Amino acid sequence: MLEKKFTIGCKQGFHLRPAQALMEVATGFSSSIIVKKDGSDNEADAKSILGLMSLGLDYNQSVTVVVEGDDEADALAAVEKLFLSNFGE
């Protein structure tokens, strides 16, 4: 199991476009990818766009991504690339 903390860098918060980008990347891996909203008990499966949207993540909100499975290192690297690029925004 791997985990890493990220900050939402999208000025409009974590809206539909970033959620869809994360979901599309996550579904390409067999590993479980969970996004946890820091400071609360809320978490979502990164392969569920509705789950991701239900987190209500705002600009500068911290999240922890937990990845577990056979391809966890590659999955976390792909997720990190999305966060570092601000989901292409």
Side-chain angles (χ1 to χ4, degrees), residues 13-33:
F14 194 74
H15 54 89
L16 185 58
R17 200 171 313 124
Q20 181 176 358
L22 179 54
M23 182 204 67
E24 288 174 355
V25 165
T27 56
F29 295 95
S30 63
S31 292
S32 165
I33 304 173

Side-chain angles (χ1 to χ4, degrees), residues 4-20 22 34-38 52-53 55-65 79-80 82-89:
K4 188 159 186 173
K5 186 174 281 203
F6 297 100
T7 301
I8 303 298
C10 303
K11 295 286 186 189
Q12 292 81 26
F14 194 74
H15 54 89
L16 185 58
R17 200 171 313 124
Q20 181 176 358
L22 179 54
I34 303 296
V35 178
K36 297 181 177 184
K37 184 176 182 178
D38 290 354
L52 290 170
M53 293 299 298
L55 292 175
L57 301 172
D58 295 321
Y59 175 67
N60 269 345
Q61 173 77 50
S62 294
V63 297
T64 300
V65 176
V79 169
E80 181 175 27
L82 276 177
F83 274 94
L84 292 177
S85 71
N86 283 333
F87 300 88
E89 301 223 332

Side-chain angles (χ1 to χ4, degrees), residues 4 10 21 28 38-40 42 44-45 66 69 78:
K4 188 159 186 173
C10 303
D38 290 354
S40 78
N42 295 343
D45 182 346
V66 180

